[in-house]
Amino acid sequence: MPRGESRLIDDARLASRGEPRTGLAVAVWATLKRDLTQLARRRGDVLNPLVFFALVITLFPIGISPDPELLATIAPGLLWVAALLSALLSLDSLFRSDFDDGSLEQLLLAPHPLPMLGLAKVAVHWLLTGLPLALMAPVLGIMLSLPAGSYLMLAVSLALGSASLSLIGAIGAALTVGLSRGGVLLSLLVLPLYIPVLIFGAGAVQASILGDGAAAHLAILGALLALALMLAPWAIAAALRISING
Amino acid sequence: MTLRLQARKLACERDDRWLFEDLDLDIGGGEVVRVEGPNGSGKTTLLKILSGQLADYHGELLWNGEPMRDVRQVFLEGLLYLGHAPGVKVTLTPLENLRWYQALGGGAGGEQACLAALDEFGLAGFEDVPAGQLSAGQQRRVALSRLALSPRPLWVLDEPFTAIDRDGVAALEARLIAHARQGGCVLVTTHHELAASDVLTCIALGQGARDA
C-alpha cells in the first residue's frame, strides 16, 4: 500500500507542478470564460440594467420638462445617477447563483488566491454591465439634450467610474450573499462608498460642458479605480470567507 | 511523504450546544472514514472543519504533521471536497462545468480527460445538454465525475450518494474503496449503509446529544 500511496501523491504533485506558473492564469481565464458563457445564456440578466437605465432616463423629460436648457443643466448628474443605480441593481446577482449551487464553496477551496478569482468575476460584471452602460449613455444623452462635445467624456467617465463601482459593489455583494434578502442592505452598504465616484464622474461631464479641465476629474476617477483595484479584491475575498462561514 | 490528517481535541459549538468535544482523529492514507450520526449532529460541520472551510472551532488540525493554517495551500492542492450542493451550474453543460473545475484545480488532460470522466459516470451523450435539463441524480453525477478527473489524495464527500441510483451507488462505493486501496483517503458522510470492508472505519457523532 505504501507504494500505491506514493504514486497517488506523486500524481497529484505532477498535476500541480505541470503548470506551476500558468496555473493561476488558467484558473482566472477559465472563470472569466465560464461567467461570460453563463451570462450569454441568460441575456435577461444582462439586459435588465440597460433597460432600467433607458427607462429612467426616458421618464425625466416627461416628468420634469422638455425644455432643452433645463435638461442640459441636469443631464450629467441624471445620467450618472441613473447609471449608478442600474449598476447597483445587477450587483446582487454577482455571487448569488454561485452561492446557491455550491460553486462558491468550490471557488474558495481552489488552490489559488481568492482575490484573483474574485477579480475575474468582477471583471465580467463590468464587461457586461458597466461597459454597456457607458456605451449606451451617449444615446440617452441625446434625449436629455446633453450639449455636443461632452458625449465622449460621458462615455469615458462612465467606463472608468463603473469599473470602480463594480469593484466596490462586489465587496457589498460578497458580504450580503449569505443573506436571503440582502438587496436593501447591499444598497445601504455600498451607496456611501459610491459617492466619490459619482462626484468626480458627473463632475467630469460637467467640466467638459463648461470647457474647463475635465482631465483632472478623469485623473481622479483613474486614481479611485487604481485604489479600488488594489484594495477591493482582498476585501471581496475576506467578505466571501465571512459569508460562507457564517 | 505520507498522507495524514490529524485533529486534536477538536470541539465545535453551535447555538450554545456542543456538537462535539474532545474529538481526536488520526486519518491516514488507505482509509475510508465514514462519519455517522443523526440529523443535526454536526457531520457537515465536522467535514467543513476538516476540509479547512470553517475556522471557528477549538483544538488543533494538522496536515502531515504541520498546522493546517501554515500549509493551507498544500492542503488545498491535495483536497477534493464535494458539498451538499453539487456545485454544478445549471446554465452550463456538464462538459463546461467539468472544464472549469479542471482549470481551477490544475488538472491535466484537457477535454479528453473530462469526456472520459463523464463517460465513467454514465453521462456519455449528455456532455452538451445544459445541466439544468438533467435530473438531480445526473447533476450529482456531474459533480462526482470530478473524482475521476484529477488525482487528489484526500476526498471529503458530504452525502455523495444523494439522488444516485442503485447501480451508481454500488459503483461509487467501489470507487471509494479503490481510492483507499491506492493509498488515498476518503472522508464521507452518508445515511446509506456502506458494505463492510477492511479499509472502512467509522466516527460516530451525536451520541452525547442523544443521551443528554
Side-chain angles (χ1 to χ4, degrees):
Chain A
M1 198 170 294
R3 220 161 142 206
E5 180 172 328
S6 66
R7 195 185 70 219
L8 191 72
I9 289 164
D10 283 349
D11 280 357
R13 271 182 169 171
L14 273 179
S16 59
R17 199 190 290 155
E19 319 159 71
R21 300 261 177 255
T22 55
L24 175 62
V26 169
V28 168
W29 175 243
T31 308
L32 270 172
K33 214 172 90 185
R34 178 185 86 129
D35 280 18
L36 283 171
T37 319
Q38 263 192 83
L39 284 170
R41 288 183 195 159
R42 286 188 324 210
R43 294 215 185 85
D45 285 9
V46 180
L47 285 176
N48 266 346
L50 299 178
V51 172
F52 177 80
F53 186 37
L55 280 178
V56 170
I57 294 298
T58 319
L59 291 180
F60 274 101
I62 303 169
I64 297 177
S65 128
D67 173 23
E69 264 179 47
L70 176 68
L71 283 176
T73 41
I74 55 171
L78 275 185
L79 286 161
W80 250 91
V81 169
L84 184 148
L85 291 177
S86 314
L88 190 65
L89 192 73
S90 60
L91 267 179
D92 192 46
S93 61
L94 185 52
F95 298 110
R96 176 77 54 199
S97 78
D98 280 355
F99 180 79
D100 288 341
D101 65 22
S103 30
L104 196 58
E105 237 173 12
Q106 299 293 341
L107 200 69
L108 263 70
L109 285 175
H112 296 292
L114 185 57
M116 292 302 121
L117 299 175
L119 197 59
K121 292 193 73 73
V122 177
V124 171
H125 180 258
W126 177 74
L127 271 176
L128 293 180
T129 311
L131 198 59
L133 283 175
L135 294 176
M136 207 173 118
V139 182
L140 297 173
I142 299 173
M143 217 179 308
L144 295 180
S145 39
L146 192 73
S150 57
Y151 287 87
L152 183 64
M153 184 53 72
L154 176 68
V156 171
S157 70
L158 264 175
L160 256 183
S162 60
S164 312
L165 298 184
S166 290
L167 280 163
I168 298 168
I171 305 173
L175 268 177
T176 53
V177 73
L179 310 172
S180 52
R181 298 208 175 274
V184 180
L185 185 62
L186 170 63
S187 318
L188 286 176
L189 279 174
V190 163
L191 274 179
L193 296 169
Y194 274 6
I195 290 172
V197 182
L198 174 64
I199 292 174
F200 291 106
V205 185
Q206 202 86 55
S208 79
I209 293 173
L210 299 174
D212 58 28
H217 287 88
L218 277 191
I220 293 181
L221 277 182
L224 285 173
L225 176 59
L227 193 69
L229 262 177
M230 272 195 314
L231 301 179
W234 275 266
I236 294 167
L240 284 177
R241 291 224 159 83
I242 294 172
S243 290
I244 286 281
N245 291 350
Chain B
M1 182 179 164
T2 51
L3 165 66
R4 182 136 301 228
L5 180 63
Q6 289 164 298
R8 297 212 186 113
K9 298 218 167 288
L10 206 62
C12 182
E13 188 190 355
R14 277 291 137 90
D15 306 319
D16 297 329
R17 189 168 63 95
W18 287 98
L19 289 175
F20 41 84
E21 279 178 289
D22 283 339
L23 195 64
D24 285 314
L25 296 174
D26 192 341
I27 304 162
E31 278 187 73
V32 176
V33 180
R34 178 182 171 194
V35 181
E36 43 186 25
N39 295 133
S41 57
K43 300 188 292 292
T44 295
T45 310
L46 177 65
L47 250 51
K48 282 195 168 176
I49 290 174
L50 291 179
S51 58
Q53 294 186 70
L54 281 180
D56 61 336
Y57 59 87
H58 303 261
E60 215 183 346
L61 268 187
L62 301 172
W63 173 246
N64 291 331
E66 293 181 71
M68 181 85 92
R69 283 176 230 281
D70 302 344
V71 291
R72 192 175 154 80
Q73 191 73 18
V74 184
F75 171 73
L76 288 182
E77 277 169 16
L79 167 77
L80 199 157
Y81 172 85
L82 291 181
H84 259 284
V88 173
K89 279 264 162 262
V90 289
T91 41
L92 299 182
T93 66
L95 183 60
E96 286 165 337
N97 270 298
L98 221 50
R99 291 282 283 170
W100 180 63
Y101 281 118
Q102 191 184 34
L104 205 59
E111 195 168 299
Q112 285 311 315
C114 291
L115 289 172
L118 287 171
D119 191 23
E120 264 186 69
F121 278 84
L123 289 165
F126 293 98
E127 298 94 347
D128 294 322
V129 181
Q133 294 173 21
L134 300 179
S135 74
Q138 284 175 315
Q139 288 187 19
R140 178 66 60 174
R141 280 166 183 268
V142 175
L144 285 169
S145 53
R146 288 176 61 205
L147 298 178
L149 195 59
S150 48
R152 304 282 184 98
L154 175 63
W155 292 355
V156 178
L157 313 173
D158 196 352
E159 302 282 359
F161 297 101
T162 313
I164 298 283
D165 59 37
R166 199 181 302 164
D167 292 346
V169 167
L172 183 55
E173 252 190 83
R175 183 175 286 274
L176 299 189
I177 288 174
H179 182 63
R181 292 216 191 286
Q182 273 198 318
C185 171
V186 184
L187 256 169
V188 59
T189 66
T190 175
H191 295 292
H192 160 82
E193 281 305 322
L194 290 177
S197 160
D198 54 328
V199 290
L200 183 70
T201 47
C202 285
I203 301 171
L205 289 182
Q207 257 87 25
R210 272 281 165 95
D211 297 342

